[in-house]
Amino acid sequence: MWRASVLTIFPEMFPGPLAFSLAGKAREAGIWSLDTVDIRAHATDRHRSVDDTPAGGGPGMVMKADVLARAIDAVADDRPRLLMSPRGAPLTQTRIVLLAAGPGVLLVCGRFEGVDERVIAARGLEEISLGDYVLSGGEIAALALLDACVRLLPGVMGAEASGAEESFAQGLLEYPQYTRPQLWEDRAIPDVLVSGDHAKVAAFRRAEAERLTRERRPDLWAKLASKRERES
Ligand code: SAH
């Protein structure tokens, strides 16, 4: 079973959306498990504080190293330990595939201005970012990461093939999709898709995926071009 442990001061936020659809069914089927660790349960003072004022001054509060370390030590094992953080490496589908192939993850959700730097080093936390914007806490980032991993676990997605062709799987964005009705508001589904010619369909999709990637994501396109250069 693929195991996720989430450390948070808001355990009620989980499983949240992961109780539904593919992820929810897969959890009921025992394909993956989710447990939350309430960081506050590891506080020791009378007020059960998890945060304190930043050393050196400035606004906001910082999550305490000692409390967070105790929470981590309660569940840490051989799984990757990730700290959701806007300073981290941006999360990619390549990383999701690797995480999904492993034993699971331990995810630390920050709050306030972030966490004491020392606990990141002392507990070997790897910082992972959802993107270049600031959330108010790591929980939504953790949910996104888990959703992306769980759908790749064996037996979760309906058609086994649907993971291989989608966006990013081959360094390309996905081709456009259509479904009935054939004609809608004077817009027809491209003829080739209803021609029944599988080779032509595949060629059309490939060309469209390349066109969309070139137009929308020159960064991905450049990566693909240099990969092709290396391989030729
Ligand atoms: N002061 C910090 C932001 C703290 S936001 C800074 O400027 O870098 C509070 C918490 O939300 C963070 O500790 C982190 O756990 C989470 N968070 C915010 N933005 C995120 C992002 N883009 N990706 C992942 N986690 C994020």
mmCIF file of all heavy atoms in Angstrom, residues 144-195:
data_model
loop_
_atom_site.group_PDB
_atom_site.id
_atom_site.type_symbol
_atom_site.label_atom_id
_atom_site.label_comp_id
_atom_site.label_asym_id
_atom_site.label_seq_id
_atom_site.Cartn_x
_atom_site.Cartn_y
_atom_site.Cartn_z
ATOM 1 N N ALA A 144 -2.770 18.706 -3.607
ATOM 2 C CA ALA A 144 -2.481 18.661 -5.046
ATOM 3 C C ALA A 144 -1.440 17.584 -5.345
ATOM 4 O O ALA A 144 -1.599 16.782 -6.271
ATOM 5 C CB ALA A 144 -2.002 20.027 -5.531
ATOM 6 N N LEU A 145 -0.386 17.546 -4.546
ATOM 7 C CA LEU A 145 0.669 16.549 -4.757
ATOM 8 C C LEU A 145 0.106 15.134 -4.601
ATOM 9 O O LEU A 145 0.362 14.251 -5.430
ATOM 10 C CB LEU A 145 1.819 16.793 -3.772
ATOM 11 C CG LEU A 145 3.060 15.905 -3.913
ATOM 12 C CD1 LEU A 145 4.307 16.646 -3.451
ATOM 13 C CD2 LEU A 145 2.933 14.593 -3.146
ATOM 14 N N LEU A 146 -0.679 14.919 -3.562
ATOM 15 C CA LEU A 146 -1.238 13.587 -3.323
ATOM 16 C C LEU A 146 -2.182 13.177 -4.447
ATOM 17 O O LEU A 146 -2.153 12.042 -4.921
ATOM 18 C CB LEU A 146 -1.978 13.542 -1.974
ATOM 19 C CG LEU A 146 -1.076 13.658 -0.741
ATOM 20 C CD1 LEU A 146 -1.922 13.706 0.533
ATOM 21 C CD2 LEU A 146 -0.092 12.493 -0.681
ATOM 22 N N ASP A 147 -3.029 14.120 -4.876
ATOM 23 C CA ASP A 147 -3.965 13.812 -5.966
ATOM 24 C C ASP A 147 -3.196 13.351 -7.208
ATOM 25 O O ASP A 147 -3.550 12.355 -7.847
ATOM 26 C CB ASP A 147 -4.807 15.050 -6.289
ATOM 27 C CG ASP A 147 -5.800 14.781 -7.401
ATOM 28 O OD1 ASP A 147 -6.920 14.361 -7.105
ATOM 29 O OD2 ASP A 147 -5.437 14.972 -8.573
ATOM 30 N N ALA A 148 -2.139 14.075 -7.540
ATOM 31 C CA ALA A 148 -1.354 13.751 -8.741
ATOM 32 C C ALA A 148 -0.664 12.390 -8.605
ATOM 33 O O ALA A 148 -0.567 11.643 -9.581
ATOM 34 C CB ALA A 148 -0.325 14.849 -9.010
ATOM 35 N N CYS A 149 -0.203 12.042 -7.396
ATOM 36 C CA CYS A 149 0.450 10.735 -7.188
ATOM 37 C C CYS A 149 -0.559 9.596 -7.232
ATOM 38 O O CYS A 149 -0.353 8.591 -7.911
ATOM 39 C CB CYS A 149 1.157 10.700 -5.825
ATOM 40 S SG CYS A 149 2.689 11.632 -5.770
ATOM 41 N N VAL A 150 -1.660 9.768 -6.490
ATOM 42 C CA VAL A 150 -2.602 8.663 -6.311
ATOM 43 C C VAL A 150 -3.203 8.205 -7.637
ATOM 44 O O VAL A 150 -3.364 7.006 -7.877
ATOM 45 C CB VAL A 150 -3.700 9.054 -5.301
ATOM 46 C CG1 VAL A 150 -4.869 8.088 -5.364
ATOM 47 C CG2 VAL A 150 -3.125 9.109 -3.890
ATOM 48 N N ARG A 151 -3.495 9.139 -8.537
ATOM 49 C CA ARG A 151 -4.116 8.720 -9.802
ATOM 50 C C ARG A 151 -3.191 7.859 -10.652
ATOM 51 O O ARG A 151 -3.639 7.148 -11.543
ATOM 52 C CB ARG A 151 -4.627 9.924 -10.598
ATOM 53 C CG ARG A 151 -3.564 10.909 -11.007
ATOM 54 C CD ARG A 151 -4.171 12.205 -11.494
ATOM 55 N NE ARG A 151 -4.813 12.097 -12.785
ATOM 56 C CZ ARG A 151 -4.162 12.055 -13.953
ATOM 57 N NH1 ARG A 151 -2.839 12.102 -13.980
ATOM 58 N NH2 ARG A 151 -4.821 11.967 -15.089
ATOM 59 N N LEU A 152 -1.880 7.878 -10.344
ATOM 60 C CA LEU A 152 -0.931 7.056 -11.093
ATOM 61 C C LEU A 152 -0.712 5.675 -10.474
ATOM 62 O O LEU A 152 -0.062 4.818 -11.076
ATOM 63 C CB LEU A 152 0.428 7.768 -11.181
ATOM 64 C CG LEU A 152 0.469 9.074 -11.976
ATOM 65 C CD1 LEU A 152 1.894 9.613 -12.017
ATOM 66 C CD2 LEU A 152 -0.063 8.878 -13.391
ATOM 67 N N LEU A 153 -1.220 5.451 -9.260
ATOM 68 C CA LEU A 153 -0.992 4.151 -8.620
ATOM 69 C C LEU A 153 -1.707 3.061 -9.420
ATOM 70 O O LEU A 153 -2.800 3.286 -9.942
ATOM 71 C CB LEU A 153 -1.505 4.173 -7.172
ATOM 72 C CG LEU A 153 -0.823 5.184 -6.242
ATOM 73 C CD1 LEU A 153 -1.492 5.173 -4.871
ATOM 74 C CD2 LEU A 153 0.668 4.913 -6.123
ATOM 75 N N PRO A 154 -1.090 1.880 -9.522
ATOM 76 C CA PRO A 154 -1.695 0.794 -10.304
ATOM 77 C C PRO A 154 -3.117 0.492 -9.816
ATOM 78 O O PRO A 154 -3.347 0.376 -8.618
ATOM 79 C CB PRO A 154 -0.766 -0.399 -10.029
ATOM 80 C CG PRO A 154 0.532 0.193 -9.608
ATOM 81 C CD PRO A 154 0.214 1.494 -8.931
ATOM 82 N N GLY A 155 -4.045 0.425 -10.765
ATOM 83 C CA GLY A 155 -5.426 0.092 -10.433
ATOM 84 C C GLY A 155 -6.313 1.290 -10.154
ATOM 85 O O GLY A 155 -7.500 1.134 -9.894
ATOM 86 N N VAL A 156 -5.761 2.512 -10.190
ATOM 87 C CA VAL A 156 -6.581 3.686 -9.864
ATOM 88 C C VAL A 156 -7.265 4.259 -11.101
ATOM 89 O O VAL A 156 -8.468 4.498 -11.097
ATOM 90 C CB VAL A 156 -5.750 4.770 -9.152
ATOM 91 C CG1 VAL A 156 -6.586 6.025 -8.933
ATOM 92 C CG2 VAL A 156 -5.229 4.236 -7.821
ATOM 93 N N MET A 157 -6.512 4.475 -12.167
ATOM 94 C CA MET A 157 -7.128 5.036 -13.372
ATOM 95 C C MET A 157 -7.831 3.954 -14.163
ATOM 96 O O MET A 157 -7.333 2.834 -14.252
ATOM 97 C CB MET A 157 -6.083 5.715 -14.256
ATOM 98 C CG MET A 157 -6.077 7.218 -14.033
ATOM 99 S SD MET A 157 -5.087 8.063 -15.255
ATOM 100 C CE MET A 157 -3.448 7.666 -14.687
ATOM 101 N N GLY A 158 -8.982 4.300 -14.747
ATOM 102 C CA GLY A 158 -9.767 3.329 -15.500
ATOM 103 C C GLY A 158 -8.953 2.672 -16.602
ATOM 104 O O GLY A 158 -8.547 1.525 -16.481
ATOM 105 N N ALA A 159 -8.683 3.420 -17.654
ATOM 106 C CA ALA A 159 -7.900 2.882 -18.764
ATOM 107 C C ALA A 159 -6.428 3.012 -18.414
ATOM 108 O O ALA A 159 -5.941 4.103 -18.165
ATOM 109 C CB ALA A 159 -8.211 3.630 -20.046
ATOM 110 N N GLU A 160 -5.720 1.893 -18.384
ATOM 111 C CA GLU A 160 -4.303 1.904 -17.998
ATOM 112 C C GLU A 160 -3.501 2.856 -18.874
ATOM 113 O O GLU A 160 -2.497 3.410 -18.454
ATOM 114 C CB GLU A 160 -3.718 0.496 -18.089
ATOM 115 C CG GLU A 160 -4.130 -0.410 -16.937
ATOM 116 C CD GLU A 160 -3.790 0.155 -15.566
ATOM 117 O OE1 GLU A 160 -2.828 0.941 -15.451
ATOM 118 O OE2 GLU A 160 -4.505 -0.176 -14.602
ATOM 119 N N ALA A 161 -3.957 3.061 -20.090
ATOM 120 C CA ALA A 161 -3.189 3.870 -21.043
ATOM 121 C C ALA A 161 -3.313 5.364 -20.759
ATOM 122 O O ALA A 161 -2.496 6.143 -21.216
ATOM 123 C CB ALA A 161 -3.649 3.579 -22.456
ATOM 124 N N SER A 162 -4.315 5.768 -19.985
ATOM 125 C CA SER A 162 -4.573 7.205 -19.937
ATOM 126 C C SER A 162 -3.449 8.006 -19.273
ATOM 127 O O SER A 162 -3.398 9.211 -19.404
ATOM 128 C CB SER A 162 -5.945 7.507 -19.321
ATOM 129 O OG SER A 162 -6.070 6.929 -18.053
ATOM 130 N N GLY A 163 -2.535 7.333 -18.568
ATOM 131 C CA GLY A 163 -1.398 8.049 -18.005
ATOM 132 C C GLY A 163 -0.276 8.297 -19.005
ATOM 133 O O GLY A 163 0.492 9.238 -18.862
ATOM 134 N N ALA A 164 -0.184 7.478 -20.023
ATOM 135 C CA ALA A 164 0.969 7.534 -20.930
ATOM 136 C C ALA A 164 0.873 8.654 -21.958
ATOM 137 O O ALA A 164 1.867 9.160 -22.430
ATOM 138 C CB ALA A 164 1.133 6.197 -21.639
ATOM 139 N N GLU A 165 -0.345 9.056 -22.316
ATOM 140 C CA GLU A 165 -0.531 10.015 -23.401
ATOM 141 C C GLU A 165 -0.810 11.424 -22.940
ATOM 142 O O GLU A 165 -0.805 12.353 -23.722
ATOM 143 C CB GLU A 165 -1.696 9.554 -24.290
ATOM 144 C CG GLU A 165 -1.324 8.430 -25.219
ATOM 145 C CD GLU A 165 -2.118 8.465 -26.510
ATOM 146 O OE1 GLU A 165 -2.949 9.385 -26.663
ATOM 147 O OE2 GLU A 165 -1.896 7.588 -27.335
ATOM 148 N N GLU A 166 -1.126 11.614 -21.639
ATOM 149 C CA GLU A 166 -1.596 12.928 -21.218
ATOM 150 C C GLU A 166 -0.466 13.954 -21.164
ATOM 151 O O GLU A 166 0.691 13.632 -21.375
ATOM 152 C CB GLU A 166 -2.309 12.822 -19.879
ATOM 153 C CG GLU A 166 -1.400 12.364 -18.774
ATOM 154 C CD GLU A 166 -2.178 11.985 -17.530
ATOM 155 O OE1 GLU A 166 -3.412 12.020 -17.567
ATOM 156 O OE2 GLU A 166 -1.540 11.656 -16.532
ATOM 157 N N SER A 167 -0.856 15.196 -20.850
ATOM 158 C CA SER A 167 0.106 16.296 -20.808
ATOM 159 C C SER A 167 1.333 15.943 -19.977
ATOM 160 O O SER A 167 1.209 15.319 -18.918
ATOM 161 C CB SER A 167 -0.552 17.542 -20.203
ATOM 162 O OG SER A 167 -1.518 18.075 -21.077
ATOM 163 N N PHE A 168 2.503 16.327 -20.445
ATOM 164 C CA PHE A 168 3.808 16.197 -19.793
ATOM 165 C C PHE A 168 4.415 14.803 -19.885
ATOM 166 O O PHE A 168 5.619 14.649 -19.711
ATOM 167 C CB PHE A 168 3.778 16.618 -18.307
ATOM 168 C CG PHE A 168 3.119 17.935 -18.089
ATOM 169 C CD1 PHE A 168 1.946 18.025 -17.362
ATOM 170 C CD2 PHE A 168 3.647 19.100 -18.635
ATOM 171 C CE1 PHE A 168 1.318 19.245 -17.167
ATOM 172 C CE2 PHE A 168 3.036 20.325 -18.445
ATOM 173 C CZ PHE A 168 1.865 20.392 -17.709
ATOM 174 N N ALA A 169 3.563 13.762 -20.141
ATOM 175 C CA ALA A 169 4.093 12.399 -20.101
ATOM 176 C C ALA A 169 5.239 12.245 -21.101
ATOM 177 O O ALA A 169 6.207 11.547 -20.833
ATOM 178 C CB ALA A 169 2.994 11.386 -20.365
ATOM 179 N N GLN A 170 5.135 12.888 -22.263
ATOM 180 C CA GLN A 170 6.221 12.785 -23.247
ATOM 181 C C GLN A 170 6.856 14.149 -23.490
ATOM 182 O O GLN A 170 7.391 14.414 -24.555
ATOM 183 C CB GLN A 170 5.663 12.203 -24.551
ATOM 184 C CG GLN A 170 5.266 10.735 -24.386
ATOM 185 C CD GLN A 170 4.218 10.289 -25.383
ATOM 186 O OE1 GLN A 170 4.073 10.898 -26.427
ATOM 187 N NE2 GLN A 170 3.494 9.256 -25.040
ATOM 188 N N GLY A 171 6.773 15.011 -22.493
ATOM 189 C CA GLY A 171 7.356 16.342 -22.637
ATOM 190 C C GLY A 171 6.515 17.272 -23.488
ATOM 191 O O GLY A 171 6.958 18.340 -23.888
ATOM 192 N N LEU A 172 5.272 16.859 -23.778
ATOM 193 C CA LEU A 172 4.365 17.664 -24.597
ATOM 194 C C LEU A 172 3.065 17.921 -23.842
ATOM 195 O O LEU A 172 2.689 17.141 -22.975
ATOM 196 C CB LEU A 172 4.001 16.902 -25.884
ATOM 197 C CG LEU A 172 5.068 16.722 -26.956
ATOM 198 C CD1 LEU A 172 4.552 15.758 -28.022
ATOM 199 C CD2 LEU A 172 5.451 18.055 -27.579
ATOM 200 N N LEU A 173 2.380 18.987 -24.206
ATOM 201 C CA LEU A 173 1.014 19.187 -23.719
ATOM 202 C C LEU A 173 0.104 18.235 -24.499
ATOM 203 O O LEU A 173 0.454 17.795 -25.591
ATOM 204 C CB LEU A 173 0.569 20.633 -23.953
ATOM 205 C CG LEU A 173 1.429 21.704 -23.293
ATOM 206 C CD1 LEU A 173 0.878 23.093 -23.627
ATOM 207 C CD2 LEU A 173 1.497 21.514 -21.784
ATOM 208 N N GLU A 174 -1.041 17.947 -23.927
ATOM 209 C CA GLU A 174 -1.945 17.017 -24.604
ATOM 210 C C GLU A 174 -2.621 17.672 -25.804
ATOM 211 O O GLU A 174 -2.880 18.877 -25.806
ATOM 212 C CB GLU A 174 -3.013 16.490 -23.639
ATOM 213 C CG GLU A 174 -3.741 15.272 -24.202
ATOM 214 C CD GLU A 174 -4.824 14.764 -23.261
ATOM 215 O OE1 GLU A 174 -5.757 15.524 -22.974
ATOM 216 O OE2 GLU A 174 -4.720 13.621 -22.812
ATOM 217 N N TYR A 175 -2.933 16.839 -26.797
ATOM 218 C CA TYR A 175 -3.698 17.266 -27.979
ATOM 219 C C TYR A 175 -5.119 17.646 -27.562
ATOM 220 O O TYR A 175 -5.589 17.222 -26.505
ATOM 221 C CB TYR A 175 -3.736 16.134 -29.012
ATOM 222 C CG TYR A 175 -4.106 14.796 -28.428
ATOM 223 C CD1 TYR A 175 -5.435 14.476 -28.158
ATOM 224 C CD2 TYR A 175 -3.128 13.845 -28.109
ATOM 225 C CE1 TYR A 175 -5.787 13.266 -27.602
ATOM 226 C CE2 TYR A 175 -3.467 12.627 -27.543
ATOM 227 C CZ TYR A 175 -4.799 12.344 -27.292
ATOM 228 O OH TYR A 175 -5.156 11.153 -26.721
ATOM 229 N N PRO A 176 -5.844 18.428 -28.380
ATOM 230 C CA PRO A 176 -7.216 18.801 -28.023
ATOM 231 C C PRO A 176 -8.158 17.597 -28.092
ATOM 232 O O PRO A 176 -7.967 16.717 -28.928
ATOM 233 C CB PRO A 176 -7.612 19.851 -29.073
ATOM 234 C CG PRO A 176 -6.532 19.883 -30.084
ATOM 235 C CD PRO A 176 -5.388 19.052 -29.622
ATOM 236 N N GLN A 177 -9.136 17.586 -27.215
ATOM 237 C CA GLN A 177 -10.115 16.493 -27.146
ATOM 238 C C GLN A 177 -11.470 16.995 -27.624
ATOM 239 O O GLN A 177 -11.805 18.176 -27.450
ATOM 240 C CB GLN A 177 -10.270 16.023 -25.694
ATOM 241 C CG GLN A 177 -8.989 15.561 -25.037
ATOM 242 C CD GLN A 177 -8.700 14.089 -25.277
ATOM 243 O OE1 GLN A 177 -9.288 13.470 -26.159
ATOM 244 N NE2 GLN A 177 -7.781 13.546 -24.500
ATOM 245 N N TYR A 178 -12.252 16.096 -28.187
ATOM 246 C CA TYR A 178 -13.621 16.402 -28.641
ATOM 247 C C TYR A 178 -14.525 15.225 -28.306
ATOM 248 O O TYR A 178 -14.054 14.095 -28.196
ATOM 249 C CB TYR A 178 -13.666 16.612 -30.157
ATOM 250 C CG TYR A 178 -12.746 17.705 -30.662
ATOM 251 C CD1 TYR A 178 -11.420 17.413 -30.984
ATOM 252 C CD2 TYR A 178 -13.197 19.008 -30.811
ATOM 253 C CE1 TYR A 178 -10.559 18.413 -31.437
ATOM 254 C CE2 TYR A 178 -12.346 20.010 -31.276
ATOM 255 C CZ TYR A 178 -11.034 19.706 -31.581
ATOM 256 O OH TYR A 178 -10.189 20.677 -32.030
ATOM 257 N N THR A 179 -15.817 15.502 -28.164
ATOM 258 C CA THR A 179 -16.786 14.412 -28.085
ATOM 259 C C THR A 179 -18.098 14.870 -28.703
ATOM 260 O O THR A 179 -18.258 16.040 -29.057
ATOM 261 C CB THR A 179 -16.974 13.927 -26.631
ATOM 262 O OG1 THR A 179 -17.778 12.743 -26.642
ATOM 263 C CG2 THR A 179 -17.648 14.980 -25.761
ATOM 264 N N ARG A 180 -19.045 13.946 -28.875
ATOM 265 C CA ARG A 180 -20.323 14.286 -29.483
ATOM 266 C C ARG A 180 -21.008 15.446 -28.774
ATOM 267 O O ARG A 180 -20.802 15.604 -27.568
ATOM 268 C CB ARG A 180 -21.229 13.052 -29.459
ATOM 269 C CG ARG A 180 -20.885 12.065 -30.572
ATOM 270 C CD ARG A 180 -21.781 10.871 -30.502
ATOM 271 N NE ARG A 180 -21.413 9.994 -29.404
ATOM 272 C CZ ARG A 180 -20.562 8.965 -29.512
ATOM 273 N NH1 ARG A 180 -20.020 8.669 -30.673
ATOM 274 N NH2 ARG A 180 -20.264 8.215 -28.487
ATOM 275 N N PRO A 181 -21.836 16.235 -29.446
ATOM 276 C CA PRO A 181 -22.265 16.078 -30.840
ATOM 277 C C PRO A 181 -21.197 16.492 -31.868
ATOM 278 O O PRO A 181 -20.361 17.343 -31.573
ATOM 279 C CB PRO A 181 -23.475 17.012 -30.937
ATOM 280 C CG PRO A 181 -23.212 18.065 -29.917
ATOM 281 C CD PRO A 181 -22.506 17.368 -28.783
ATOM 282 N N GLN A 182 -21.294 15.856 -33.034
ATOM 283 C CA GLN A 182 -20.351 16.094 -34.126
ATOM 284 C C GLN A 182 -20.340 17.570 -34.545
ATOM 285 O O GLN A 182 -19.295 18.144 -34.818
ATOM 286 C CB GLN A 182 -20.731 15.165 -35.296
ATOM 287 C CG GLN A 182 -20.183 15.544 -36.665
ATOM 288 C CD GLN A 182 -18.666 15.419 -36.711
ATOM 289 O OE1 GLN A 182 -18.058 14.759 -35.880
ATOM 290 N NE2 GLN A 182 -18.063 16.083 -37.673
ATOM 291 N N LEU A 183 -21.538 18.193 -34.558
ATOM 292 C CA LEU A 183 -21.623 19.612 -34.899
ATOM 293 C C LEU A 183 -22.242 20.352 -33.716
ATOM 294 O O LEU A 183 -23.326 20.001 -33.258
ATOM 295 C CB LEU A 183 -22.501 19.776 -36.149
ATOM 296 C CG LEU A 183 -22.447 21.158 -36.812
ATOM 297 C CD1 LEU A 183 -21.071 21.433 -37.391
ATOM 298 C CD2 LEU A 183 -23.513 21.251 -37.915
ATOM 299 N N TRP A 184 -21.546 21.363 -33.219
ATOM 300 C CA TRP A 184 -22.047 22.122 -32.071
ATOM 301 C C TRP A 184 -21.778 23.614 -32.312
ATOM 302 O O TRP A 184 -20.647 23.987 -32.595
ATOM 303 C CB TRP A 184 -21.377 21.661 -30.777
ATOM 304 C CG TRP A 184 -21.750 22.498 -29.608
ATOM 305 C CD1 TRP A 184 -22.917 22.472 -28.908
ATOM 306 C CD2 TRP A 184 -20.947 23.527 -28.999
ATOM 307 N NE1 TRP A 184 -22.907 23.409 -27.908
ATOM 308 C CE2 TRP A 184 -21.711 24.075 -27.943
ATOM 309 C CE3 TRP A 184 -19.666 24.018 -29.259
ATOM 310 C CZ2 TRP A 184 -21.233 25.107 -27.136
ATOM 311 C CZ3 TRP A 184 -19.199 25.048 -28.452
ATOM 312 C CH2 TRP A 184 -19.983 25.574 -27.405
ATOM 313 N N GLU A 185 -22.858 24.428 -32.292
ATOM 314 C CA GLU A 185 -22.750 25.866 -32.566
ATOM 315 C C GLU A 185 -21.915 26.131 -33.823
ATOM 316 O O GLU A 185 -20.985 26.952 -33.808
ATOM 317 C CB GLU A 185 -22.167 26.606 -31.357
ATOM 318 C CG GLU A 185 -23.125 26.627 -30.173
ATOM 319 C CD GLU A 185 -22.703 27.615 -29.068
ATOM 320 O OE1 GLU A 185 -21.579 28.151 -29.144
ATOM 321 O OE2 GLU A 185 -23.525 27.827 -28.155
ATOM 322 N N ASP A 186 -22.218 25.438 -34.894
ATOM 323 C CA ASP A 186 -21.518 25.563 -36.181
ATOM 324 C C ASP A 186 -20.057 25.114 -36.134
ATOM 325 O O ASP A 186 -19.299 25.358 -37.070
ATOM 326 C CB ASP A 186 -21.569 27.014 -36.709
ATOM 327 C CG ASP A 186 -22.975 27.430 -37.086
ATOM 328 O OD1 ASP A 186 -23.773 26.528 -37.446
ATOM 329 O OD2 ASP A 186 -23.272 28.637 -37.018
ATOM 330 N N ARG A 187 -19.638 24.506 -35.050
ATOM 331 C CA ARG A 187 -18.257 24.024 -34.970
ATOM 332 C C ARG A 187 -18.269 22.505 -35.077
ATOM 333 O O ARG A 187 -18.930 21.838 -34.292
ATOM 334 C CB ARG A 187 -17.620 24.408 -33.633
ATOM 335 C CG ARG A 187 -17.442 25.893 -33.448
ATOM 336 C CD ARG A 187 -17.200 26.193 -31.981
ATOM 337 N NE ARG A 187 -17.252 27.620 -31.732
ATOM 338 C CZ ARG A 187 -16.174 28.399 -31.715
ATOM 339 N NH1 ARG A 187 -14.982 27.888 -31.903
ATOM 340 N NH2 ARG A 187 -16.304 29.689 -31.499
ATOM 341 N N ALA A 188 -17.513 21.985 -36.059
ATOM 342 C CA ALA A 188 -17.468 20.541 -36.283
ATOM 343 C C ALA A 188 -16.218 19.950 -35.631
ATOM 344 O O ALA A 188 -15.200 20.621 -35.486
ATOM 345 C CB ALA A 188 -17.452 20.253 -37.772
ATOM 346 N N ILE A 189 -16.318 18.690 -35.229
ATOM 347 C CA ILE A 189 -15.130 17.955 -34.796
ATOM 348 C C ILE A 189 -14.247 17.781 -36.035
ATOM 349 O O ILE A 189 -14.768 17.489 -37.125
ATOM 350 C CB ILE A 189 -15.541 16.572 -34.230
ATOM 351 C CG1 ILE A 189 -16.363 16.755 -32.943
ATOM 352 C CG2 ILE A 189 -14.324 15.700 -33.986
ATOM 353 C CD1 ILE A 189 -16.899 15.461 -32.362
ATOM 354 N N PRO A 190 -12.911 17.980 -35.939
ATOM 355 C CA PRO A 190 -12.037 17.810 -37.107
ATOM 356 C C PRO A 190 -12.297 16.472 -37.810
ATOM 357 O O PRO A 190 -12.387 15.434 -37.148
ATOM 358 C CB PRO A 190 -10.631 17.868 -36.503
ATOM 359 C CG PRO A 190 -10.782 18.693 -35.265
ATOM 360 C CD PRO A 190 -12.163 18.413 -34.736
ATOM 361 N N ASP A 191 -12.430 16.524 -39.147
ATOM 362 C CA ASP A 191 -12.786 15.353 -39.960
ATOM 363 C C ASP A 191 -11.930 14.124 -39.659
ATOM 364 O O ASP A 191 -12.439 13.007 -39.577
ATOM 365 C CB ASP A 191 -12.628 15.681 -41.458
ATOM 366 C CG ASP A 191 -13.801 16.530 -41.941
ATOM 367 O OD1 ASP A 191 -14.862 16.513 -41.269
ATOM 368 O OD2 ASP A 191 -13.636 17.209 -42.977
ATOM 369 N N VAL A 192 -10.625 14.367 -39.515
ATOM 370 C CA VAL A 192 -9.705 13.234 -39.349
ATOM 371 C C VAL A 192 -10.072 12.386 -38.120
ATOM 372 O O VAL A 192 -9.919 11.167 -38.130
ATOM 373 C CB VAL A 192 -8.232 13.726 -39.282
ATOM 374 C CG1 VAL A 192 -8.055 14.807 -38.245
ATOM 375 C CG2 VAL A 192 -7.275 12.580 -38.995
ATOM 376 N N LEU A 193 -10.627 13.028 -37.082
ATOM 377 C CA LEU A 193 -10.947 12.288 -35.856
ATOM 378 C C LEU A 193 -12.152 11.372 -36.018
ATOM 379 O O LEU A 193 -12.362 10.463 -35.216
ATOM 380 C CB LEU A 193 -11.182 13.261 -34.688
ATOM 381 C CG LEU A 193 -9.956 14.073 -34.257
ATOM 382 C CD1 LEU A 193 -10.305 14.982 -33.088
ATOM 383 C CD2 LEU A 193 -8.794 13.156 -33.882
ATOM 384 N N VAL A 194 -12.969 11.643 -37.044
ATOM 385 C CA VAL A 194 -14.121 10.769 -37.270
ATOM 386 C C VAL A 194 -13.926 9.923 -38.534
ATOM 387 O O VAL A 194 -14.854 9.277 -39.000
ATOM 388 C CB VAL A 194 -15.443 11.580 -37.339
ATOM 389 C CG1 VAL A 194 -15.776 12.151 -35.965
ATOM 390 C CG2 VAL A 194 -15.348 12.705 -38.351
ATOM 391 N N SER A 195 -12.687 9.920 -39.063
ATOM 392 C CA SER A 195 -12.396 9.189 -40.311
ATOM 393 C C SER A 195 -12.230 7.688 -40.070
ATOM 394 O O SER A 195 -12.346 6.898 -41.003
ATOM 395 C CB SER A 195 -11.104 9.730 -40.933
ATOM 396 O OG SER A 195 -9.991 9.382 -40.103
#
